[in-house]
Amino acid sequence: MYTATLDAPIEFLKGVGASRADLLKKELGISTYGDMLTFYPFRYIDRTRFYKINELNPDLPLVQLVGRITGKETIGEKHKKRIVAKFTDETGTIELVWFQSLKWVDDNVQRGKVYIAFGKPTLFNNTFSISHPDLENYPRPATVTGNLTLQPIYNSTEKLKKRFLDSKGIQKLQRLLIETHLREVPETLPAYILEKYRLAGRREALLNIHFPDNPSALQHAERRLKFEELFFIQLMLLNSKQVRTLKFKGVLFNSVGARVNTFYKDILPFALTNAQKRVIKEIRMDTQRGIQMNRLVQGDVGSGKTVVALMSMLLSNDNGYQACMMAPTEILARQHYASLVELLGDQLVKVDILTGSTPKKKREALHAGLEDGSIDILVGTHALIEDKVKFKNLGLVVIDEQHRFGVEQRAKLWRKNTIPPHILVMTATPIPRTLAMTVYGDLDVSMIDELPVGRKPIVTKHLFEGQRMRMFGFMKEEISKGRQVYIVYPLIKESEKLDLLHLEAGIEQMRYQFPLPDFQISIVHGQMPNVDKQFEMQRFIKGESQIMVATTVIEVGVNVPNASVMVIENAERFGLSQLHQLRGRVGRGAEQSFCILMSGQKLSKEGKLRLDTMVKTTNGFEISEIDLQLRGPGDLAGTQQSGVLDLKLADLVKDQVILQEARNMVKDIFEEDPMLELPRNSLLSAFLRRKNQGISFDKIS
Ligand code: ADP
Ligand code: MG
């Protein structure tokens, strides 16, 4: 992005030198002039505001005062030696104190002179003082980089501070860089884009992000730099999508055949929701274009994603191709398999299952069946990705619960067929639109934004430990109506032993409350052998047990329509999206369902907000927005691996409008100029070539 000078090692900037350059690199990742220029302040202090001494209070952060030095003396001995000056305005007097650089202070701070003093006031013995204040002559002289109205504050570290690279020291380097090298900074955005969105030029923006003259200049600069950041991410994402589209052919699903029709007309026990119909239509369109489909289907828990997946797989079968469906856990894979077999019977297609615990003999038969094409649909876990698993002609891969699968794994699946199979990713983790656009920017997104009719919204209650008996009473009532109940305990690595103890104590208490033989309790947690888990799950699914005590292994996908109560223990310890997932395990049948959040009396502010949110809404998207605000995007499922969220300025929550603008712009550009051949887009094609994002169109055509 930079001319040779801006690529210059920071070491050569006046006042830096080799050893500080080393530190800058280690501590802040700054190695060149250009890196430094894009190391932005993290906040600003308003230096247009002057305080009077009688306005000071100990809670104020940094303040600036105008006053005269009315006294100055050196007191104390040795390491306690310090200079204390009296600083006076028309409303009072405070002390300015220095413990270091005493000689310099003694020589330069003059009694009787008026200064601007800047620093953090502290109250001691009824007198305010500021230690190591910033002193400037009054009035301030104008400089190239403007009058300091908003003072930039930079992040620094202890090590850097020791080498005088505190915020102030960094500010000095920035000022020097701007004064000497700003004119070499090249524009990165084409002029027509700047014009269209009324964006500041890059130089102006860099000047004003470091040394803004006023708040509106700062805002203008921020907008430009945020736009740029988001724009180039979108450019890369949509470009790789474009390249993929041009480079890879897609399996053709030309026709709807007997299997889809039979299933739809004779088997499907309910009418599809409009949202389901719409998404199936989108998939139909995608798969008859001769281009590989990469589609993400988002739908809240219980919105009916499985049927959509199933019909897509049948479509693949109808066109002579196999399909597979990957689930993140063995339990889920089995559940999917069981429900597919139950729905389809054994006439229509041949469905089979492959997981880590499939015995060797069965495995061999499976491999053979996949290679000769006698298996139409394969359900499974990660085991599906193994290289040994070969298909005769794989046309579609459904991935349930995307966030557990990395991009690399997706790519592995592509290679299972000469023409890469279509990919359909299903996720019930509602991702806020902004995040979807960024993290999954290279996928097309479908939304199932409607629940099947007749679903009653789940009633959620928050109870404190003291109300536990009420909870048990309620459970008994529901069970006596023939319903089933989940009780979920947190189990996290750091406190695993203690958590298991809680779980066991909980079960003890339950056995006392719900004595056998009237009540059967199933127990499932991550520490159990797989076979035991399966056994206990099956008991609950078949209705042989009424209560399922579990850790979060049941988080995703488990479908027992007769279960109508979800009790979550220590609910304050779960994240919002996890709570939402867990709650989604109930409310799947015709009965009114309930979710009871149990918590201790003492709650953190955030913990309370999470529980209140759960009580207030059942809308997954609303919940995910709040989750995003609470945790930031870094924590959200799927974002860690993506590497696209390395944003310096833009905030995916606050800057949604800019993100949308940037994305729209990129879309328009590719629509009009798919190869970026127009002269006006030359900056963009140059950017992509540098990023080596596989824009090598010559190879494609
Ligand atoms: P999820 O989107 O969470 O994976 P599922 O596909 O498991 O949801 O569907 C949840 C339940 O709703 C299942 O029991 C399924 O049979 C049922 N279901 C799905 N679609 C409909 C519909 N259109 N009408 C009625 N019930 C439906
Ligand atoms: Mg599901």
Side-chain angles (χ1 to χ4, degrees):
M1 192 81 353
Y2 295 109
T3 61
T5 330
L6 288 176
D7 278 334
I10 194 72
E11 162 179 6
F12 300 130
L13 188 65
K14 209 175 130 204
V16 178
S19 79
R20 284 168 161 207
D22 252 14
L23 263 188
L24 278 170
K25 169 138 210 233
K26 274 198 204 106
E27 302 282 300
L28 300 175
I30 296 173
S31 12
T32 65
Y33 287 16
D35 291 343
M36 185 56 112
L37 268 179
T38 52
F39 181 69
Y40 304 129
F42 75 97
R43 68 188 176 99
Y44 302 82
I45 291 165
D46 185 354
R47 301 210 57 170
T48 54
R49 168 83 157 97
F50 286 95
Y51 282 81
K52 295 291 176 204
I53 286 174
N54 67 0
E55 288 178 295
L56 295 184
N57 73 63
D59 297 330
L60 285 173
L62 299 161
V63 297
Q64 60 182 349
L65 306 156
V66 180
R68 193 180 298 278
I69 301 284
T70 51
K72 190 173 88 172
E73 56 179 334
T74 305
I75 52 180
E77 285 299 323
K78 299 218 173 115
H79 65 281
K80 287 199 170 160
K81 199 164 157 186
R82 59 196 186 273
I83 293 179
V84 177
K86 301 259 182 252
F87 185 75
T88 308
D89 71 4
E90 66 274 22
T91 68
T93 295
I94 64 166
E95 288 181 345
L96 305 180
V97 187
W98 289 267
F99 299 93
Q100 278 158 17
S101 319
L102 297 188
K103 168 123 182 38
W104 185 89
V105 174
D106 207 29
D107 293 348
N108 290 281
V109 177
Q110 293 164 31
R111 190 195 289 258
K113 206 175 147 185
V114 176
Y115 288 98
I116 298 166
F118 177 79
K120 161 92 184 119
T122 50
L123 188 60
F124 186 68
N125 280 345
N126 261 339
T127 310
F128 277 102
S129 66
I130 297 179
S131 351
H132 286 271
D134 236 16
L135 282 192
E136 282 176 73
N137 292 328
Y138 181 83
R140 285 193 181 112
T143 64
V144 184
T145 41
N147 280 318
L148 261 195
T149 51
L150 289 169
Q151 166 149 335
I153 305 293
Y154 297 90
N155 269 320
S156 181
T157 66
E158 281 314 309
K159 282 187 185 154
L160 283 168
K161 280 178 191 164
K162 278 199 190 118
R163 304 298 311 276
F164 302 104
L165 287 176
D166 55 359
S167 171
K168 193 112 186 284
I170 293 171
Q171 185 191 318
K172 272 189 198 144
L173 296 183
Q174 299 287 17
R175 185 185 293 270
L176 180 62
L177 260 179
I178 297 250
E179 282 171 1
T180 53
H181 292 288
L182 187 65
R183 68 195 118 79
E184 292 151 30
V185 171
E187 184 51 72
T188 50
L189 290 171
Y192 73 94
I193 296 181
L194 297 183
E195 212 165 291
K196 175 161 186 192
Y197 290 99
R198 300 216 174 88
L199 299 170
R202 194 154 208 275
R203 286 176 205 165
E204 182 191 343
L206 284 174
L207 170 63
N208 284 324
I209 196 88
H210 290 291
F211 302 104
D213 264 340
N214 53 60
S216 89
L218 173 61
Q219 230 175 20
H220 201 48
E222 280 178 345
R223 185 170 134 72
R224 145 75 205 220
L225 295 169
K226 285 175 176 179
F227 184 96
E228 174 179 327
E229 220 168 71
L230 297 168
F231 176 87
F232 283 109
I233 289 174
Q234 291 299 324
L235 190 72
M236 284 190 285
L237 284 171
L238 292 179
N239 174 62
S240 58
K241 179 172 169 184
Q242 175 107 342
V243 169
R244 203 170 55 211
T245 322
L246 295 170
K247 194 149 125 186
F248 298 125
K249 284 211 177 65
V251 179
L252 271 176
F253 295 171
N254 277 323
S255 56
V256 171
R259 293 180 179 97
V260 172
N261 281 327
T262 309
F263 175 77
Y264 190 64
K265 290 190 188 120
D266 304 342
I267 299 179
L268 186 66
F270 41 71
L272 294 176
T273 63
N274 286 325
Q276 285 169 321
K277 283 186 198 157
R278 190 184 62 236
V279 174
I280 289 171
K281 207 183 234 165
E282 284 166 346
I283 293 166
R284 276 277 288 141
M285 303 294 278
D286 281 353
T287 51
Q288 54 187 319
R289 289 189 307 165
I291 292 169
Q292 186 205 19
M293 169 176 77
N294 272 276
R295 187 168 283 280
L296 173 74
V297 175
Q298 275 193 280
D300 217 338
V301 274
S303 61
K305 293 184 291 296
T306 316
V307 175
V308 172
L310 175 55
M311 290 188 61
S312 311
M313 292 194 289
L314 293 177
L315 178 68
S316 180
N317 294 161
D318 267 347
N319 286 277
Y321 291 93
Q322 295 162 295
C324 71
M325 181 170 193
M326 238 180 14
T329 66
E330 173 127 14
I331 290 183
L332 264 179
R334 284 183 189 283
Q335 178 131 24
H336 275 314
Y337 174 70
S339 51
L340 290 193
V341 169
E342 192 187 313
L343 258 178
L344 294 172
D346 52 6
Q347 297 299 308
L348 211 52
V349 288
K350 169 103 177 76
V351 185
D352 219 321
I353 177 166
L354 173 67
T355 70
S357 59
T358 305
K360 191 156 174 271
K361 241 198 169 146
K362 166 91 202 279
R363 210 174 265 252
E364 279 159 12
L366 262 175
H367 287 170
L370 290 170
E371 282 188 59
D372 69 20
S374 57
I375 296 174
D376 300 299
I377 293 177
L378 181 68
V379 181
T381 55
H382 281 75
L384 285 187
I385 311 183
E386 283 170 28
D387 293 331
K388 275 176 289 185
V389 182
K390 295 200 180 70
F391 292 82
K392 180 174 177 223
N393 54 3
L394 183 62
L396 170 72
V397 177
V398 178
I399 304 177
D400 198 14
E401 304 303 341
Q402 146 82 15
H403 57 279
R404 315 237 174 148
F405 292 99
V407 174
E408 182 44 40
Q409 289 164 315
R410 248 201 277 160
K412 245 183 159 173
L413 281 163
W414 291 15
R415 297 195 279 271
K416 294 238 175 255
N417 205 47
T418 28
I419 298 177
H422 297 299
I423 307 268
L424 189 61
V425 177
M426 316 279 242
T427 177
T429 310
I431 304 158
R433 278 186 59 74
T434 50
L435 210 57
M437 274 193 272
T438 319
V439 184
Y440 301 126
D442 62 332
L443 302 181
D444 294 304
V445 179
S446 293
M447 305 266 204
I448 307 188
D449 47 9
E450 176 187 10
L451 293 180
V453 284
R455 286 278 168 78
K456 300 187 184 78
I458 301 164
V459 174
T460 303
K461 284 243 158 29
H462 171 201
L463 296 182
F464 291 102
E465 196 45 47
Q467 299 164 293
R468 180 165 289 275
M469 283 334 224
R470 255 181 75 189
M471 185 268 280
F472 282 138
F474 181 71
M475 271 175 65
K476 276 183 191 151
E477 239 171 73
E478 285 295 300
I479 293 173
S480 72
K481 290 184 202 157
R483 310 281 125 72
Q484 288 164 287
V485 178
Y486 291 105
I487 303 183
V488 176
Y489 281 83
L491 182 94
I492 55 170
K493 279 231 166 59
E494 295 80 58
S495 56
E496 194 172 292
K497 278 201 179 124
L498 199 63
D499 284 345
L500 280 172
L501 283 179
H502 282 157
L503 178 106
E504 276 159 17
I507 291 167
E508 265 317 291
Q509 196 179 9
M510 209 99 57
R511 291 233 155 91
Y512 183 76
Q513 289 293 328
F514 301 94
L516 297 169
D518 298 352
F519 299 94
Q520 293 286 330
I521 304 177
S522 286
I523 301 167
V524 175
H525 60 77
Q527 255 61 2
M528 290 163 62
N530 244 329
V531 269
D532 296 357
K533 265 194 248 176
Q534 292 312 328
F535 179 79
E536 292 287 312
M537 276 313 288
Q538 285 310 318
R539 260 181 4 121
F540 190 69
I541 290 168
K542 288 183 202 143
E544 293 167 8
S545 57
Q546 291 79 39
I547 302 171
M548 153 77 63
V549 179
T551 55
T552 35
V553 280
I554 61 156
E555 187 182 336
V556 274
V558 171
N559 190 20
V560 182
N562 189 49
S564 66
V565 182
M566 166 63 67
V567 178
I568 304 176
E569 296 282 357
N570 290 116
E572 73 275 20
R573 286 177 53 194
F574 290 93
L576 258 182
S577 69
Q578 236 182 343
L579 289 171
H580 180 64
Q581 290 294 325
L582 286 170
R583 179 167 60 185
R585 297 307 106 216
V586 296
R588 306 190 143 234
E591 306 305 329
Q592 175 65 55
S593 287
F594 303 88
C595 174
I596 303 178
L597 306 168
M598 298 298 298
S599 85
Q601 209 69 35
K602 266 203 187 142
L603 288 175
S604 69
K605 212 171 128 204
E606 245 199 69
K608 182 163 185 327
L609 179 58
R610 285 199 297 265
L611 300 187
D612 288 351
T613 302
M614 288 297 293
V615 171
K616 205 178 69 199
T617 178
T618 52
N619 181 320
F621 286 95
E622 217 172 286
I623 288 172
S624 74
E625 292 285 351
I626 295 172
D627 201 29
L628 182 64
Q629 279 161 29
L630 279 178
R631 301 200 290 167
D635 275 353
L636 280 192
T639 58
Q640 289 91 339
Q641 72 201 7
S642 68
V644 294
L645 289 180
D646 186 17
L647 299 170
K648 283 187 171 162
L649 277 180
D651 176 317
L652 292 176
V653 180
K654 294 186 195 130
D655 299 320
Q656 308 199 8
V657 176
I658 302 180
L659 173 57
Q660 190 66 60
E661 286 173 346
R663 183 159 173 96
N664 289 346
M665 187 71 240
V666 173
K667 271 190 173 161
D668 289 352
I669 292 170
F670 277 126
E671 210 146 278
E672 200 183 42
D673 182 17
M675 304 290 187
L676 301 181
E677 291 161 323
L678 293 178
R680 64 181 200 166
N681 288 327
S682 61
L683 279 174
L684 307 181
S685 49
F687 169 85
L688 288 174
R689 264 197 304 279
R690 256 195 319 274
K691 282 280 164 187
N692 198 15
Q693 281 284 317
I695 181 88
S696 38
F697 283 122
D698 33 309
K699 275 193 210 143
I700 298 161
S701 47

